[in-house]
């Protein structure tokens, strides 16, 4: 939609802007067109169609997702875009996204973050997301609390199991009690995956 409006704007500016030259060619008087009451308003409307969608995207963007499913994002990078809205910085977040029933994947989100909340948006931080049902690469911050703590934990548990943690251990972590142990002996049991090794702890 944004691109369509921009194309209409370019055509309108080009068409209206060219009309005085056409009038000069036909009637030797470009002011016949330039003095017309519709000339300037159409020029302004054309420029508005070109630039307004981008401006609105800055103010009301942040990857707004009208309809989506809960997800979790791990921030991999934070980059300032140089744009500020009401003295609040716009940032581009690199994310590794997790949602139910799918392997994790990478995407990016450009949004406005209050200066007082910047500490919460650092590489390694986990943030709740809403993932578009039509395009999984389109995500938004979960500002309305659609991702509950239960959903958040379930998503993280699902990814832990996919990474090789046994469901039994996840169940113990979920229902067991916190305790401490002293490691007496460590025996390597071989590789358990890329950059991972299985250990037997006594």
């Amino acid at each position: 939609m944004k691109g369509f409006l921009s194309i209409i704007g370019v055509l309108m500016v080009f068409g209206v802007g060219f009309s005085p030259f056409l009038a000069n060619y036909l009637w030797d008087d470009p002011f016949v067109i330039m003095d017309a009451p519709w000339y300037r308003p159409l020029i302004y409307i054309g420029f508005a169609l070109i630039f307004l969608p981008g401006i609105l995207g800055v103010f009301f963007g942040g990857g707004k997702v009208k309809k989506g499913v809960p997800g979790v994002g791990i921030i991999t990078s934070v980059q300032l875009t140089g744009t500020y809205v009401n003295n609040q910085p716009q940032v581009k977040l690199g994310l590794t996204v997790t949602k139910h029933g799918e392997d994790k994947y990478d995407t990016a989100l450009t949004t406005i973050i209050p200066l007082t909340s910047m500490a919460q948006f650092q590489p390694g931080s986990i943030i709740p997301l809403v993932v578009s049902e039509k395009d999984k690469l389109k995500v938004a911050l979960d500002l309305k609390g659609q991702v509950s703590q239960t959903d958040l934990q379930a998503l993280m548990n699902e990814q832990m199991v996919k990474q090789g943690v046994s469901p039994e251990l996840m169940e113990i972590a979920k229902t067991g009690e916190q305790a401490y142990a002293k490691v007496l002996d460590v025996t390597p049991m071989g590789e358990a995956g890329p950059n991972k090794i299985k250990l037997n702890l006594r």
Side-chain angles (χ1 to χ4, degrees):
M1 185 63 179
K2 177 181 175 181
F4 176 74
L5 292 176
S6 297
I7 292 173
I8 295 297
V10 170
L11 293 176
M12 184 176 293
V13 170
F14 177 79
V16 177
F18 181 75
S19 59
F21 297 96
L22 182 62
N24 186 57
Y25 175 78
L26 294 175
W27 304 299
D28 294 324
D29 186 5
F31 293 99
V32 171
I33 297 296
M34 296 176 68
D35 291 337
W38 50 264
Y39 180 78
R40 289 187 178 181
L42 287 183
I43 288 285
Y44 296 149
I45 292 172
F47 278 112
L49 290 175
I50 294 172
F51 298 109
L52 192 60
I55 296 172
L56 291 177
V58 170
F59 282 91
F60 302 104
K64 273 200 171 183
V65 177
K66 294 181 179 179
K67 188 176 181 181
V69 296
V72 172
I74 299 176
I75 299 176
T76 56
S77 64
V78 180
Q79 179 181 354
L80 292 172
T81 65
T83 300
Y84 288 79
V85 178
N86 294 329
N87 296 321
Q88 308 300 330
Q90 183 188 63
V91 299
K92 182 177 182 181
L93 302 176
L95 299 170
T96 298
V97 180
T98 295
K99 65 176 188 173
H100 284 303
E102 291 193 15
D103 293 331
K104 59 184 179 181
Y105 60 92
D106 295 331
T107 188
L109 167 64
T110 301
T111 187
I112 303 296
I113 295 179
L115 285 171
T116 54
S117 301
M118 282 297 293
Q120 303 173 27
F121 294 86
Q122 299 299 321
S125 298
I126 298 174
I127 56 174
L129 300 172
V130 178
V131 183
S132 171
E133 294 180 352
K134 296 182 179 180
D135 182 3
K136 69 177 185 179
L137 296 179
K138 186 177 181 181
V139 299
L141 294 177
D142 179 26
L143 301 177
K144 297 182 179 179
Q146 297 183 45
V147 183
S148 66
Q149 288 297 319
T150 302
D151 290 334
L152 186 66
Q153 189 61 52
L155 287 166
M156 296 305 295
N157 291 350
E158 182 177 317
Q159 288 305 308
M160 291 289 285
V161 171
K162 288 181 179 180
Q163 292 174 16
V165 179
S166 68
E168 292 79 9
L169 286 178
M170 295 304 302
E171 185 63 26
I172 292 173
K174 180 179 177 180
T175 61
E177 296 181 5
Q178 185 176 8
Y180 297 91
K182 180 180 180 181
V183 178
L184 302 177
D185 183 59
V186 180
T187 304
M189 304 294 289
E191 292 187 1
N195 301 320
K196 297 179 181 179
I197 187 170
K198 189 175 182 180
L199 301 175
N200 181 39
L201 304 180
R202 185 168 67 88

